[in-house]
Amino acid sequence: MADSTGIETEQQLSLKLVVIKERNNVLFAEAGKDFVDVLFSFLTLPLGTIARLVRKESNMQPIEVGSLSSLYKSVENLDKECLCTDTCKEMLLRPRGSMEAYCKSLKLNIDDTEPPEYFVCNNLVKCRYESPVLLSTFKNKRCRCGNMLDKPISPQSSDVFDGFVKSNSIFMITDDLKVVPYSLNTFFYLFKNCGLENMSSVNEMAVTITKNQVMDLLKGCLSSTTTLTSLFLGKPFVEKFKKVEFPAFDSNANGSSKINVTIMQRKSNGKILFAQGKEDFVDFLFSFLTFPLGGVVHLMEGCSSMGSVDGLYRSIADLDENCWTTKEVKKKLVEPGLAPQFILSNQLLPIHDDFKYLCYTEHSYASKRSGFELRNEPYLTACYLTSEFREVNSFHGTCTALDFVDLKSETGNSKGYVKGPTIYMVTDDLVVTPMSPISVVSLLTSMSIPFSDLEEKEVSIGIKEGISILKASLTSTSALTTAIVETEQQLSLKLVVNKERNEVLFAEAGKDFVDVLFSFLTLPLGTVARLVRKESNMQPIEIGSLSSLYQSVENLDKECLCTDTYKEMLLQPRNSMEAYCKSLKINIDDTEPTEYFVCDNLCDCPYNGQVLISTLKNKRCRCGGMLAKQISPDSSDVFDGFVKSDGSFMITDDLKVVPNSLETFFYLLKNCGIKNKSSVIEMTVTVTKNQVMDLFKSCLFSKTTLTDLFIEKQLFIGSFKRINFPPCGFDANISCKIIVKIMQRKSNGKILFAQGKKDFADFLFNFLTIPLGGVVHLMEGYSSIGSFEGLHKSVVDLDEDYWATKEVKNKLVDALLAPQFKQLYSRSGTCTAVKFVDPISETSENSKGYAKGPTMYIATDDLVVMPMSSVYVLSLLNSMNIPYSDLEEKEVSIGIKEGVSILQASLISTSALTTGLSDLLTKVKEEN
């Protein structure tokens, strides 16, 4: 568009915003046809076009969309020799939209794909009698008759599409891009829903929208649910894609069309490294790039988990037909199809092509001499494409069906985009390359993955799995793991909910879920501290002073510890019951599986009367040889979780597990004052790995874990409540004592830090290796940690008949440190005792702990441990503005009772020393 001076000016749109002053958030925007048409056009864009557009510069930085961006890039990098024709690459990198004609009239159109050109046979006047007429969007193709498809043909000029909604409509658009017709009811509902009582709470502002801002709007709506606020009020834009569970698809999971692939998976964490498949698998993935965004959301039943996209899609489905330019346009937007020529002959996902043009021609005759003969030769007088059948008014006209030439094949017999019989490798983030042993070795080497941690599996991909991979490609950079592994890793749980209180009365579950719950008790505290700071549906959390203790180990200089292996031992502590956890349907422990090594020269080792064994490969045997020969437990040692497979259990809201019985059922109903069935409802929920992580986080602080997770869906972690310590039944006169000096404030009794030798640092570091169940047992069932007391008590009370073995109950009640227990190694008919090498000492058997002496260490009140430093002490006192006159030094002895108190306090308080030593300090004060 040019202004009066002839200079090109940029197209712009106007938008009115209503902004909540106090929160600085957009309440809604008011817009007409032009802006709403632009929003709705986003849903017509093929995913390949979106992947190309969002990596462009605009006011906002380029972004990547899940694994879709890497899939797009792998097509760019793929050698043409792997593709069926030269046009396949252009088809995938610049895919056609099936609703291009509707987008031509947009005031601001960000799609930079070239307008389509259509070509028919050069000799159409004769060829047209053969129905259907062959049509191409590329000029270099050949007709059935042998002539080239070079004759341009255009849609009929009367086929004009004026966008999507009517021009006289006014709409309200919420911050997450839900579009509704303007009405007073909606106006007042939005105000009331946000707690606004009068107009003084809001401001009005008018904004101008340019093409660059439309590009930002597209980027934002893919990842943000506050798109308008982020774009126009300058708040941070790009959020991480939120992991949302896959809905139960209605698609026929048992359909005959299946794609078979081989996946290479890590045993330790279930992550898929790559999948190996034939051309049908790659065609299936590449076809994602041709799918329109609206068609994808339709396939996912409105649950794409992409920012504001779902809200925008629902607006189309809900918008009254009177708002649309035609009835047909709404149907096309609700379920947009593929553009012509993009449908695969073996299309796995149920998405159709959408093209209804016919070829209309009229011809006349002209006399033409051929040698001595004069002939009447036909020639075309009219030739165009039409979307509706037209009556032919003369013998010289035809209206013929069209068929697109197959651009994916020179012979017209193609099934897809890539050539077979090549085998292809697809990484977890959907990078596609031809299979190569060198590329596999390179991938494994770059990730430092031992072969022992790999396993191969055959997987069949049907419609349900295909939709899961498509969805994961939009929201995750681990698309294969998210779709294949995490959807496999699901458990079903039945909840009985008290309607009046909106609380879970109890859940009914079998072995799989109960085993997952009991596995929590086997996790060492170091693993607990590491897991809870990970992202899940719930935010990362910190546990008392345990999290800062864990972090201080991460930050501690290696020179302070006995060997280089200390960090791995403390930051990735071994689970003494990991063998029992291997069979869990969902295992949140991401610690690498334990490997065992014995002497390279085992048969001739002079010390083979007691075999030395190590969980680390770099240790030395007594004979001088290396402990490098890998050894595995007997394959007959199979541990099938914790409880028997035929058990049925009831689980209360605070995770007490009891066998399913009528007596317990009626007791729970009576205990909650429920008198009839109408007071409760039943519901079935699906539990994923992410939700198990949430369950674990919740049960560390909450006694209403199931309600929090499945009913109220509280994703914010509250602080731990201080609970009085129980009287511990330990002998306080035991001789083992640790002497430390504490620096305490006179004014409030708070301990600033404690100073001690290596035995004090080792004592604290050792917390990270103790299993959670062992901690609760040490505290005689009074841990004050959320629902864990109830869970541990369930283990104690559960009858032996419900356990997989008699031994497993004892191990869960008093979980041991790993690997401090006797093991046997069978060799040539002999059964020889084994002894674990001491990994925390270079001298194998003489270590007394993790930290080196004679260095002095200090531990702050929240258990940050570091070597003693006068400069740090001075800095600490200055930062807290504490006068020296308010300080006093005391010497205290820490025995078993005080040790258990500090351990308990580390789990519930960020002032572990003050809390854990409070009884001792009171006693010292009284004695003085």
Side-chain angles (χ1 to χ4, degrees), residues 423 425 433-441:
I423 300 295
M425 181 174 86
T433 53
M435 189 69 187
S436 157
I438 292 174
S439 60
V440 174
V441 171

Side-chain angles (χ1 to χ4, degrees), residues 430-674:
L430 303 188
V431 173
V432 180
T433 53
M435 189 69 187
S436 157
I438 292 174
S439 60
V440 174
V441 171
S442 175
L443 177 66
L444 297 178
T445 303
S446 68
M447 299 177 76
S448 301
I449 299 171
F451 294 148
S452 59
D453 190 28
L454 301 176
E455 61 180 337
E456 192 176 86
K457 289 182 183 176
E458 296 291 328
V459 175
S460 289
I461 298 172
I463 293 176
K464 182 178 179 181
E465 296 80 13
I467 292 174
S468 293
I469 295 172
L470 173 59
K471 178 173 183 177
S473 73
L474 303 175
T475 58
S476 171
T477 52
S478 300
L480 296 181
T481 298
T482 302
I484 296 173
V485 178
E486 292 184 12
T487 50
E488 280 180 358
Q489 293 176 339
Q490 291 183 348
L491 300 174
S492 185
L493 192 65
K494 291 181 180 176
L495 304 178
V496 176
V497 180
N498 184 333
K499 283 199 289 189
E500 207 171 286
R501 300 182 192 169
N502 201 30
E503 292 174 349
V504 173
L505 185 60
F506 65 86
E508 184 179 273
K511 171 187 172 61
D512 292 337
F513 186 72
V514 172
D515 275 355
V516 167
L517 287 183
F518 286 165
S519 73
F520 293 169
L521 295 167
T522 72
L523 297 174
L525 294 186
T527 302
V528 172
R530 185 178 74 250
L531 292 177
V532 298
R533 66 182 188 176
K534 287 189 171 187
E535 286 284 346
S536 58
N537 298 325
M538 186 180 286
Q539 63 188 16
I541 66 169
E542 293 193 347
I543 304 172
S545 301
L546 184 71
S547 295
S548 48
L549 174 63
Y550 186 89
Q551 194 169 354
S552 73
V553 173
E554 285 183 311
N555 298 334
L556 202 62
D557 195 289
K558 285 186 179 182
E559 294 301 314
C560 298
L561 290 117
C562 294
T563 72
D564 291 343
T565 56
Y566 83 95
K567 275 205 176 182
E568 185 178 348
M569 291 186 64
L570 294 173
L571 300 179
Q572 300 267 337
R574 300 295 175 187
N575 183 342
S576 65
M577 298 189 74
E578 68 175 340
Y580 291 88
C581 297
K582 278 183 180 177
S583 63
L584 293 176
K585 283 286 177 69
I586 298 178
N587 187 4
I588 58 172
D589 186 359
D590 60 359
T591 311
E592 298 286 339
T594 304
E595 295 179 296
Y596 300 99
F597 302 95
V598 291
C599 183
D600 272 340
N601 192 30
L602 184 62
C603 293
D604 299 322
C605 181
Y607 295 95
N608 66 4
Q610 187 183 50
V611 172
L612 206 58
I613 191 168
S614 174
T615 54
L616 299 163
K617 201 173 182 180
N618 60 343
K619 295 297 171 183
R620 197 169 289 280
C621 182
R622 302 184 195 93
C623 70
M626 297 302 294
L627 298 173
K629 179 181 175 62
Q630 192 164 359
I631 186 172
S632 301
D634 190 341
S635 58
S636 64
D637 290 341
V638 177
F639 302 93
D640 185 22
F642 305 107
V643 296
K644 288 181 178 175
S645 57
D646 56 354
S648 177
F649 302 90
M650 299 169 76
I651 302 155
T652 60
D653 205 9
D654 60 348
L655 302 190
K656 291 188 180 79
V657 180
V658 292
N660 206 338
S661 71
L662 278 174
E663 185 182 348
T664 307
F665 175 79
F666 287 118
Y667 168 78
L668 289 173
L669 291 180
K670 184 180 178 182
N671 195 48
C672 290
I674 294 172

Side-chain angles (χ1 to χ4, degrees), residues 407-420:
L407 297 176
K408 302 184 286 295
S409 170
E410 301 294 353
T411 61
N413 299 318
S414 168
K415 291 183 179 180
Y417 299 100
V418 295
K419 289 178 182 176

Side-chain angles (χ1 to χ4, degrees), residues 108-403:
L108 294 174
N109 187 4
I110 57 173
D111 186 0
D112 60 359
T113 309
E114 293 292 330
E117 296 180 291
Y118 300 104
F119 302 94
V120 289
C121 182
N122 275 338
N123 194 26
L124 181 65
V125 69
K126 294 181 179 178
C127 191
R128 68 202 168 97
Y129 293 110
E130 293 184 29
S131 183
V133 168
L134 212 54
L135 184 70
S136 176
T137 52
F138 285 82
K139 205 173 182 180
N140 59 345
K141 297 298 171 181
R142 196 171 290 280
C143 182
R144 300 185 196 93
C145 69
N147 286 296
M148 298 303 293
L149 299 172
D150 282 346
K151 181 177 178 59
I153 186 171
S154 302
Q156 185 182 15
S157 58
S158 62
D159 288 342
V160 176
F161 303 94
D162 183 23
F164 306 110
V165 296
K166 289 180 178 176
S167 57
N168 58 350
S169 302
I170 298 176
F171 300 90
M172 297 170 74
I173 303 154
T174 60
D175 206 7
D176 58 351
L177 302 190
K178 291 187 182 77
V179 179
V180 291
Y182 175 80
S183 72
L184 278 176
N185 282 345
T186 307
F187 179 87
F188 288 121
Y189 169 77
L190 289 173
F191 269 77
K192 185 178 178 182
N193 195 48
C194 289
L196 304 176
E197 296 180 357
N198 52 63
M199 287 300 294
S200 64
S201 304
V202 297
N203 273 336
E204 292 180 43
M205 60 184 286
V207 294
T208 301
I209 300 171
T210 63
K211 200 168 186 176
N212 249 9
Q213 285 173 309
V214 173
M215 186 74 82
D216 292 342
L217 195 62
L218 173 65
K219 292 175 183 178
C221 81
L222 293 170
S223 55
S224 174
T225 52
T226 57
T227 310
L228 298 180
T229 296
S230 301
L231 181 62
F232 297 111
L233 302 183
K235 289 197 173 180
F237 216 135
V238 175
E239 302 168 0
K240 289 184 179 178
F241 288 99
K242 292 181 180 177
K243 172 74 174 74
V244 178
E245 311 312 330
F246 293 94
F249 299 110
D250 290 333
S251 309
N252 179 14
N254 299 314
S256 57
S257 182
K258 294 275 187 180
I259 297 171
N260 296 316
V261 299
T262 303
I263 62 170
M264 188 63 73
Q265 190 175 13
R266 293 194 71 173
K267 297 175 187 174
S268 55
N269 57 18
K271 287 270 287 181
I272 293 176
L273 299 178
F274 61 85
Q276 173 186 303
K278 297 180 181 177
E279 65 270 21
D280 59 349
F281 181 46
V282 177
D283 284 336
F284 158 70
L285 294 176
F286 283 173
S287 71
F288 291 179
L289 301 175
T290 69
F291 293 172
L293 183 59
V296 171
V297 182
H298 177 76
L299 272 177
M300 295 169 188
E301 300 176 355
C303 300
S304 72
S305 312
M306 298 181 74
S308 301
V309 171
D310 293 341
L312 185 60
Y313 179 82
R314 279 194 295 274
S315 303
I316 292 172
D318 296 341
L319 202 59
D320 192 89
E321 285 187 359
N322 294 326
C323 297
W324 300 95
T325 52
T326 66
K327 290 181 180 179
E328 183 186 40
V329 74
K330 175 177 178 176
K331 293 177 183 175
K332 286 192 170 188
L333 273 177
V334 168
E335 190 181 355
L338 294 174
Q341 297 174 284
F342 288 95
I343 199 80
L344 297 174
S345 60
N346 57 347
Q347 185 79 33
L348 178 67
L349 299 184
I351 189 165
H352 62 279
D353 60 349
D354 190 8
F355 189 81
K356 295 181 180 176
Y357 279 138
L358 301 165
C359 179
Y360 180 84
T361 61
E362 291 180 3
H363 69 276
S364 188
Y365 290 91
S367 298
K368 190 174 182 181
R369 184 174 296 279
S370 178
F372 295 104
E373 189 177 354
L374 193 65
R375 293 182 180 178
N376 280 334
E377 293 285 342
Y379 67 94
L380 291 174
T381 56
C383 173
Y384 55 81
L385 302 174
T386 178
S387 58
E388 294 179 355
F389 182 80
R390 293 195 59 178
E391 292 291 336
V392 179
N393 298 323
S394 71
F395 293 111
H396 302 307
T398 62
C399 194
T400 315
L402 285 167
D403 190 14

Side-chain angles (χ1 to χ4, degrees), residues 49-66:
T49 301
I50 290 173
R52 184 179 75 249
L53 292 177
V54 298
R55 67 182 189 176
K56 287 187 173 187
E57 285 287 345
S58 57
N59 299 328
M60 181 180 168
Q61 62 187 4
I63 65 168
E64 294 195 345
V65 181

